[in-house]
Amino acid sequence: MASTSAALVLLSSPTAITASSTARFFSTAAATRAHPSAPRPSPLRPLLLLLPKFHSHCLPTASSSSPRKPLFPISLHADLLSAARDSLFVFVASLALSVSVFVSDVGSASAFVVTTPRKLQTDELATVRLFQENTPSVVYITNLAVRQDAFTLDVLEVPQGSGSGFVWDKDGHIVTNYHVIRGASDLRVTLADQATYEAKVVGFDQDKDVAVLRIDAPKDKLRPIPIGVSADLLVGQKVYAIGNPFGLDHTLTTGVISGLRREISSAATGRPIQDVIQTDAAINPGNSGGPLLDSSGSLIGINTAIYSPSGASSGVGFSIPVDTVGGIVDQLVRFGKVTRPILGIKFAPDQSVEQLGVSGVLVLDAPASGPAGKAGLQPTKRDSYGRLILGDIITSVNGKKVTNGSDLYRILDQCKVGDTVIVEVLRGDHKEKLPVVLEPKPDES
């Protein structure tokens, strides 16, 4: 473009070429571009246009009456040099213009085209903005375990797992899944700016698969995630999962809520987790502990598990609702543990009870120091001849029917430590009702 502009400036000089010649030149150029097959004029044509003018100033005519005078007087030499210099500039400019107009192709011309900014749809812009605003709140957690080398007997810390988490508050509390940190001797948390900090375990709840860590990071580097509500969620609304699958940088997957009030079992204790959110947003290994967000960017759940025989995302993922997580985190931050009520029993698998042809929870053990033992519930035992004597079968608690272990846990989750519940049991061939005072779950190391 610079050479073309220079050529246009030079060709506009009155000493170079007449206006009519310029018009003819550009009209010919336009016609040639419109018809590429037409013969192209020589780039020397602008110089040839000057020859008549040069001839009239410098060459003698046939009717000259001075046969022996110098062919070029001194004054004419100056004109000749000036004309030659002008002709040289015109030739160079014309050659550059000819090359740029006739030789350049579409490919070279496209190099001068300025690419316009990418245009995104409204929903795309909202998704991009949601990812950019919430990524600083999501962290990467590395689980280190102590291992002893078999040959050198050196004790080393080796990574045994990883997962995601998110910043809960400005005090450095990080929320994640319990199974992400299970068995760790050391934990490290990496923020979005790649700064890594040693993390300490504040507390965890194995039954609900929730854990809280704490890091000593500057407050200006901590961006708590916005907390939402999960009680009013609807099937079909859009959700977004952010995490670090396979140890990669932050990634975003999208989907919808596929189902509500699902129930899954805790990976650590087998205790059921109620009101779980089901989503088809891809949740791969490493996404565990990461946030599930609604379209406004607010936290509605913690990504915790997938249903897949192969271990990869199959479109069935589960998230613990934020309403459940909020109460657990508050207790862990304040007390370092969750005071959940228990009956203090061990019960048989549901399949074993079904084979007996009864409905309820069969008590296998009821320690005398526990709430059920103090209330007089009978465990399963053997007599002096080795015959199996079944213990009490719990059929209801506070008038609510109990058909399996999940029902029992669901009822207890609605109670508090210190509450007295009426447990109805089937003992032999008759039923009995026993009052039981619920006690807190013992501390876990």
Side-chain angles (χ1 to χ4, degrees):
M1 296 297 293
S3 61
T4 306
S5 302
L8 292 177
V9 171
L10 291 173
L11 290 174
S12 64
S13 173
T15 60
I17 172 176
T18 62
S20 58
S21 299
T22 304
R24 289 195 303 274
F25 174 76
F26 282 106
S27 62
T28 305
T32 305
R33 180 170 290 275
H35 302 282
S37 60
R40 298 181 177 180
S42 172
L44 300 180
R45 179 175 176 81
L47 183 61
L48 297 178
L49 295 175
L50 296 174
L51 292 181
K53 183 176 181 181
F54 179 81
H55 183 272
S56 63
H57 280 78
C58 303
L59 299 180
T61 59
S63 60
S64 174
S65 59
S66 303
R68 299 304 298 175
K69 288 184 179 180
L71 184 61
F72 299 102
I74 296 177
S75 60
L76 196 58
H77 278 285
D79 294 338
L80 179 61
L81 292 176
S82 177
R85 184 169 58 254
D86 294 341
S87 300
L88 180 60
F89 280 103
V90 171
F91 174 75
V92 174
S94 301
L95 182 61
L97 181 62
S98 300
V99 171
S100 64
V101 173
F102 301 108
V103 179
S104 62
D105 56 5
V106 176
S108 61
S110 63
F112 300 101
V113 177
V114 179
T115 304
T116 57
R118 182 179 298 276
K119 295 182 179 180
L120 301 177
Q121 300 296 325
T122 304
D123 59 336
E124 293 178 314
L125 290 173
T127 302
V128 171
R129 188 179 302 109
L130 180 144
F131 178 73
Q132 293 175 347
E133 291 178 353
N134 289 279
T135 296
S137 301
V138 183
V139 302
Y140 180 62
I141 300 174
T142 305
N143 183 335
L144 302 176
V146 175
R147 295 288 184 272
Q148 187 175 30
D149 188 88
F151 299 99
T152 64
L153 300 182
D154 292 337
V155 178
L156 305 173
E157 281 190 337
V158 296
Q160 70 170 356
S162 62
S164 304
F166 51 89
V167 180
W168 183 262
D169 54 28
K170 284 285 188 177
D171 294 330
H173 291 110
I174 307 296
V175 177
T176 185
N177 285 140
Y178 167 72
H179 73 263
V180 172
I181 68 167
R182 181 172 50 187
S185 61
D186 194 10
L187 294 166
R188 294 176 185 172
V189 172
T190 303
L191 300 180
D193 61 355
Q194 301 305 313
T196 303
Y197 299 90
E198 298 288 337
K200 296 181 180 180
V201 179
V202 175
F204 53 83
D205 183 4
Q206 297 186 39
D207 293 334
K208 301 300 181 182
D209 199 15
V210 177
V212 177
L213 312 178
R214 190 178 186 279
I215 59 175
D216 188 12
K219 293 185 181 295
D220 58 347
K221 284 192 174 185
L222 299 173
R223 184 181 297 183
I225 199 165
I227 307 299
V229 179
S230 58
D232 58 352
L233 296 177
L234 299 174
V235 174
Q237 73 177 78
K238 290 185 177 181
V239 290
Y240 307 83
I242 301 179
N244 291 269
F246 308 107
L248 303 174
D249 196 5
H250 292 91
T251 58
L252 173 71
T253 56
T254 64
V256 298
I257 294 179
S258 305
L260 296 171
R261 292 177 291 280
R262 297 291 190 258
E263 182 178 295
I264 61 175
S265 298
S266 170
T269 64
R271 186 163 179 161
I273 306 174
Q274 292 87 23
D275 298 328
V276 173
I277 303 169
Q278 179 184 336
T279 177
D280 65 345
I283 301 176
N284 290 294
N287 274 118
S288 294
L292 185 70
L293 310 173
D294 60 11
S295 57
S296 65
S298 299
L299 177 72
I300 59 174
I302 301 180
N303 302 320
T304 186
I306 58 173
Y307 179 79
S308 173
S310 64
S313 177
S314 60
V316 182
F318 299 100
S319 298
I320 304 173
V322 68
D323 291 350
T324 301
V325 174
I328 296 173
V329 172
D330 289 341
Q331 291 190 57
L332 293 176
V333 171
R334 295 175 59 187
F335 309 111
K337 61 180 181 180
V338 176
T339 54
R340 183 172 291 112
I342 60 171
L343 277 177
I345 64 171
K346 292 182 180 179
F347 54 87
D350 297 334
Q351 296 82 358
S352 301
V353 181
E354 291 176 359
Q355 292 176 358
L356 297 175
V358 296
S359 177
V361 172
L362 174 61
V363 179
L364 292 180
D365 189 18
S369 59
K374 295 177 183 178
L377 268 72
Q378 299 295 322
T380 300
K381 56 186 178 181
R382 294 183 181 273
D383 60 13
S384 59
Y385 296 99
R387 292 174 297 187
L388 186 66
I389 301 176
L390 297 180
D392 292 337
I393 299 177
I394 301 175
T395 58
S396 69
V397 176
N398 281 347
K400 298 179 181 178
K401 188 176 181 180
V402 174
T403 58
N404 50 43
S406 296
D407 292 340
L408 180 60
Y409 281 130
R410 191 179 300 108
I411 295 171
L412 293 177
D413 283 342
Q414 300 173 359
C415 301
K416 298 179 181 180
V417 174
D419 290 351
T420 299
V421 295
I422 304 300
V423 179
E424 185 177 11
V425 299
L426 177 63
R427 182 175 295 175
D429 56 357
H430 66 280
K431 290 185 178 183
E432 292 189 13
K433 293 183 178 181
L434 304 172
V436 180
V437 179
L438 300 179
E439 297 181 3
K441 189 175 182 179
D443 294 339
E444 298 156 339
S445 58

